[in-house]
Amino acid sequence: MSSILDNKLNKDKCQKFTPSDIVENMLDLADYRSDLAGKKVLENSFGSGNIIIAVVKRYIEDSLSAGIMPEDISRNLESDIYGVELDKELFDACIHKLNLIVEAYSIPRVKWSLFNEDALFWQCPITFDFIIGNPPYITYKDIDEVNRRRIREKYESCKLGKFDYCYAFIERGIELLNSSGKLVQLVPANIYKNVFGEKLRELLYPHIRLIRDYPGQELFDKALTSSTIFLFDKSYESEVFTYVDMTISEKTDIARSALGNKWIFSSRTKDPQEKLRFGDYFHASIVVATLLNKAFVLSSKDFDGTNIEVQVVRKAASPKQLRRKVQEFIIFPYYYMNGELMHYDKTTFERNYPNAVQHLNNYKSELDERQKDSRAAWFEYGRSQALAHLKQKKLLMSTVVTKQVELYLLDEETIPYSGIFITVKKPEYSLNDAAKILQSNHFMEYVQSLGISVSGNSKRITCKDINNYMFVKE
């Protein structure tokens, strides 16, 4: 059976071990403090053991203070503390550490209820009072096809779209809680906003009790996303839960009913001014998708005005290169007639533009292998949905926003191939109006609350996020 750890990069990603101060905070958040004998706890991906070791220490010290005999503590540890770890090397190392701990407390040797298995498919006959953990951070693209299929078949949160590996761990945790159990997890903060995490949020919604966010903080070295800790408590049914921004030490009570498809955490009061939806007056759209930019996008060295027919070359634009003031071009194998996008037939294109064809033929095999639209010719872009709206002035912005929204005005002929482009839908507004809205402090606050953290203070947003933004009517 294929293991997720067969990929060396995944093994490295799984070994992001929880800092000791965070571990103690997680145990406190679960209220794993006293009267612990008889309460069953699970860590379903214990790695080097930082969390389960802290659990065992608390358990032993609480039992000793309650006057429980060492022999009984040994038996109780076996029956109350459970853990699962797939990596055999880490599994063995953790057991060795745990044995040293019980020895230091003069506790007889423990027959640990620890399992060297895949936690997502581990057969467990009991439920738990506490499940506390830091599941592996592995994105969909790094999960092999065999595991994608197995996980998708078993877990509701992973049925659709590009799920994260941790979704299944969270769902499995919810399944294994008893009727008053508590689940505390340290996971990527994008679970609250990722479009493919909607089903997971539905599972968390009824009993989410507290969320601690760490925007802009790196709890792990070289982590590309910010982290969050949440408490899911099956005995908690209040309509209000607590959100804490740990970076600015701000606590907010949020009505559960205020949560939408994406969870936005804000204490902002309702604005009495009339609001308009951005997408009703402007249109934010993803740019063209060639599905092989290296074949179509040309540098100024690649195109001198003579080596490829100018009739099928346009200026190209991406936020990154515009920021650097780098001029690029792009082969545009289409034309417009009366504002409508037109396609060349294969014979006409190959006859009229032999230099462009010669250039594209250098990438012929890769162009043919693209997962392109079924009607797209070999020399066309892989996706054509954005092309119909391009022949007009437009604004271009990056999908990643840091300190402010950077906008670039493009003319009718320029083709954006990276980022998001904005056009006007209603004549009473202009691109200048769109720019003022998108560069406002209010929109930046919206991005901070809604965007998915990618690194540092940067947030990734989508066209849908922009179109759904509500701005004040002037």
Side-chain angles (χ1 to χ4, degrees):
M1 180 65 66
S2 171
S3 167
I4 197 78
L5 300 183
D6 290 345
N7 183 332
K8 175 65 167 59
L9 291 176
N10 286 345
K11 187 168 182 175
D12 293 341
K13 290 176 183 178
C14 288
Q15 297 180 2
K16 300 288 187 184
F17 305 130
T18 317
S20 58
D21 59 328
I22 298 296
V23 171
E24 298 301 327
N25 288 338
M26 292 173 71
L27 298 186
D28 289 344
L29 186 59
D31 199 24
Y32 189 78
R33 304 170 189 265
S34 59
D35 300 321
L36 302 180
K39 295 177 179 176
K40 300 195 182 300
V41 60
L42 166 70
E43 186 184 2
N44 55 9
S45 180
F46 59 75
S48 64
N50 289 13
I51 294 176
I52 205 165
I53 286 170
V55 166
V56 167
K57 286 181 177 178
R58 286 198 181 196
Y59 190 96
I60 292 173
E61 291 174 3
D62 178 68
S63 297
L64 289 172
S65 67
I68 301 175
M69 298 301 292
E71 294 79 7
D72 293 328
I73 294 175
S74 176
R75 286 191 292 271
N76 292 346
L77 283 168
E78 176 186 343
S79 63
D80 289 345
I81 309 298
Y82 286 72
V84 188
E85 173 53 48
L86 182 58
D87 188 302
K88 184 62 165 64
E89 185 178 344
L90 293 177
F91 177 85
D92 291 339
C94 181
I95 289 183
H96 176 69
K97 293 176 186 176
L98 291 174
N99 287 336
L100 292 177
I101 289 169
V102 296
E103 182 180 339
Y105 283 97
S106 299
I107 304 294
R109 197 75 170 219
V110 178
K111 184 180 177 182
W112 298 105
S113 295
L114 304 181
F115 302 87
N116 180 211
E117 297 185 28
D118 187 332
L120 298 182
F121 302 94
W122 170 55
Q123 298 299 312
C124 180
I126 64 172
T127 56
F128 296 88
D129 298 281
F130 303 95
I131 299 178
I132 304 167
N134 169 20
Y137 296 15
I138 301 177
T139 58
Y140 182 82
K141 67 181 178 64
D142 293 321
I143 303 173
D144 62 274
E145 287 294 338
V146 172
N147 277 294
R148 283 182 187 176
R149 184 176 64 255
R150 294 179 71 214
I151 293 169
R152 203 185 297 279
E153 289 173 353
K154 183 174 175 61
Y155 292 99
E156 289 298 319
S157 61
C158 304
K159 294 289 186 189
L160 300 174
K162 299 178 180 179
F163 59 87
D164 190 292
Y165 193 53
C166 75
Y167 293 6
F169 278 85
I170 296 170
E171 182 176 340
R172 183 59 171 155
I174 293 173
E175 291 174 353
L176 290 176
L177 289 177
N178 61 30
S179 59
S180 60
K182 296 176 180 178
L183 175 71
V184 175
Q185 299 281 279
L186 169 58
V187 291
N190 61 23
I191 67 165
Y192 306 127
K193 301 181 177 75
N194 194 313
V195 65
F196 301 120
E198 186 171 347
K199 184 60 181 180
L200 177 65
R201 292 189 287 276
E202 289 179 12
L203 297 176
L204 291 171
Y205 179 89
H207 302 294
I208 197 75
R209 181 167 184 167
L210 186 143
I211 291 172
R212 287 179 179 168
D213 248 348
Y214 297 81
Q217 295 190 49
E218 293 183 3
L219 300 188
F220 304 98
D221 291 337
K222 298 179 181 178
L224 297 180
T225 183
S226 64
S227 300
T228 186
I229 299 172
F230 68 78
L231 167 61
F232 176 92
D233 182 348
K234 289 191 76 173
S235 67
Y236 184 78
E237 298 190 356
S238 169
E239 283 304 307
V240 175
F241 69 94
T242 301
Y243 172 79
V244 185
D245 185 325
M246 300 296 288
T247 301
I248 60 175
S249 301
E250 181 178 272
K251 182 186 293 186
T252 306
D253 288 333
I254 296 178
R256 198 183 309 277
S257 59
L259 298 175
N261 291 337
K262 290 188 176 186
W263 289 6
I264 302 174
F265 309 116
S266 173
S267 59
R268 176 181 295 280
T269 57
K270 279 195 170 182
D271 194 322
Q273 295 175 284
E274 183 181 355
K275 296 287 189 68
L276 304 177
R277 181 178 175 273
F278 187 88
D280 293 335
Y281 297 85
F282 308 93
H283 184 63
S285 174
I286 203 67
V287 296
V288 301
T290 70
L291 302 190
L292 194 66
N293 283 343
K294 66 179 181 180
F296 293 94
V297 179
L298 312 169
S299 70
S300 55
K301 294 180 180 178
D302 298 325
F303 176 68
D304 61 10
T306 62
N307 55 338
I308 298 176
E309 292 82 6
V310 294
Q311 296 92 329
V312 287
V313 175
R314 302 282 186 89
K315 288 183 179 179
S318 76
K320 181 178 179 180
Q321 297 298 61
L322 289 172
R323 192 179 307 118
R324 295 176 175 178
K325 295 182 168 47
V326 174
Q327 178 62 69
E328 293 182 300
F329 302 90
I330 190 169
I331 294 175
F332 188 73
Y334 310 90
Y335 64 100
Y336 291 96
M337 181 177 291
N338 298 323
E340 183 179 352
L341 181 74
M342 307 297 291
H343 296 258
Y344 293 103
D345 65 74
K346 180 175 179 292
T347 301
T348 300
F349 185 80
E350 292 180 349
R351 181 184 67 243
N352 292 349
Y353 309 110
N355 293 346
V357 170
Q358 181 180 352
H359 172 85
L360 293 174
N361 262 326
N362 294 328
Y363 306 92
K364 184 66 163 59
S365 60
E366 292 176 86
L367 289 169
D368 288 341
E369 290 171 2
R370 294 174 297 169
Q371 298 296 311
K372 61 182 186 295
D373 293 341
S374 58
R375 295 184 179 181
W378 75 268
F379 56 84
E380 292 186 319
Y381 300 162
R383 302 282 184 267
S384 61
Q385 63 267 32
L387 296 172
H389 306 290
L390 280 178
K391 192 172 175 57
Q392 57 184 309
K393 290 183 178 180
K394 50 213 165 257
L395 295 174
L396 181 66
M397 63 179 286
S398 174
T399 57
V400 176
V401 178
T402 305
K403 294 181 179 180
Q404 62 180 8
V405 175
E406 295 181 359
L407 296 171
Y408 303 92
L409 179 63
L410 307 182
D411 61 27
E412 294 182 2
E413 302 299 318
T414 300
I415 306 299
Y417 70 89
S418 176
I420 295 170
F421 75 94
I422 293 96
T423 53
V424 174
K425 288 173 66 174
K426 295 291 183 69
E428 61 265 36
Y429 283 90
S430 68
L431 288 178
N432 283 337
D433 296 321
K436 290 178 182 178
I437 293 166
L438 297 176
Q439 291 182 322
S440 68
N441 291 334
H442 189 275
F443 182 76
M444 193 64 200
E445 291 172 2
Y446 173 78
V447 170
Q448 290 297 325
S449 67
L450 183 74
I452 296 174
S453 296
V454 288
S455 64
N457 293 320
S458 297
K459 301 281 187 176
R460 175 173 282 112
I461 58 173
T462 66
C463 298
K464 185 176 180 180
D465 295 335
I466 297 172
N467 286 325
N468 285 339
Y469 173 64
M470 305 297 292
F471 64 94
V472 176
K473 179 180 180 181
E474 294 183 359

